[in-house]
Amino acid sequence: MTQKAVVKKLLSGGIAEIEVQRQSACGHDCSKCGGCGTPTERITAQAVNRAHAQVGEIVTIEGDNKQVFGAAAIVYTVPLVLFFVLYAFLRSLGGAEGAAIGGGILGFAAGIAGAVVYNHRVRRMGMIPFVIIKRS
């Protein structure tokens, strides 16, 4: 997965702070589209600066698909799976509908908490999913 970004700041250890314009779900560049009228969102991230880019330069970044998809699975899938698993488990034990829903909500919250813990672990270990591959 490659996309364009702007280098905002140079950090120590060959890392750069970048700003990426979030792409739409349809895969088009929102800056050149007036179709849906959705405001574009800019995301700040860090990237390994292999291209030795300087502040203000537009660069091409590449994401580690395995790490990005793994994070997406944790953030989006695990909470939903835990909701339905706990709901079904409590219902199979003969629990009331309300208790099963409450258990499902607790499972969902546990999934979100797991995603937060995973995010802190990734940051603490310095696992950066983006690499600047070329200067534009």
Side-chain angles (χ1 to χ4, degrees):
M1 167 176 74
T2 62
Q3 57 191 114
K4 298 289 185 184
V6 177
V7 177
K8 290 298 184 180
K9 191 186 319 181
L10 297 177
L11 306 172
S12 63
I15 306 297
E17 183 176 288
I18 56 171
E19 185 176 82
V20 182
Q21 182 171 331
R22 186 173 184 179
Q23 292 182 338
S24 67
C26 63
H28 293 103
D29 184 2
C30 293
S31 66
K32 297 178 182 142
C33 174
C36 64
T38 305
T40 58
E41 181 181 344
R42 297 203 176 268
I43 299 169
T44 302
Q46 292 181 354
V48 176
N49 190 2
R50 288 193 186 147
H52 306 291
Q54 299 300 313
V55 174
E57 285 188 303
I58 297 173
V59 295
T60 301
I61 61 170
E62 184 174 62
D64 178 0
N65 288 340
K66 180 180 175 185
Q67 194 171 352
V68 170
F69 290 136
I74 289 171
V75 170
Y76 294 111
T77 307
V78 171
L80 286 175
V81 168
L82 286 176
F83 174 87
F84 288 115
V85 165
L86 282 175
Y87 174 84
F89 177 71
L90 291 173
R91 286 299 283 174
S92 71
L93 291 177
E97 181 81 17
I101 291 173
I105 291 171
L106 287 175
F108 186 82
I112 297 294
V116 169
V117 168
Y118 175 78
N119 184 47
H120 287 299
R121 186 177 139 242
V122 165
R123 286 182 188 230
R124 186 178 64 246
M125 293 178 73
M127 297 165 53
I128 299 174
F130 299 108
V131 176
I132 298 174
I133 57 173
K134 70 177 181 177
R135 299 155 79 170
S136 297

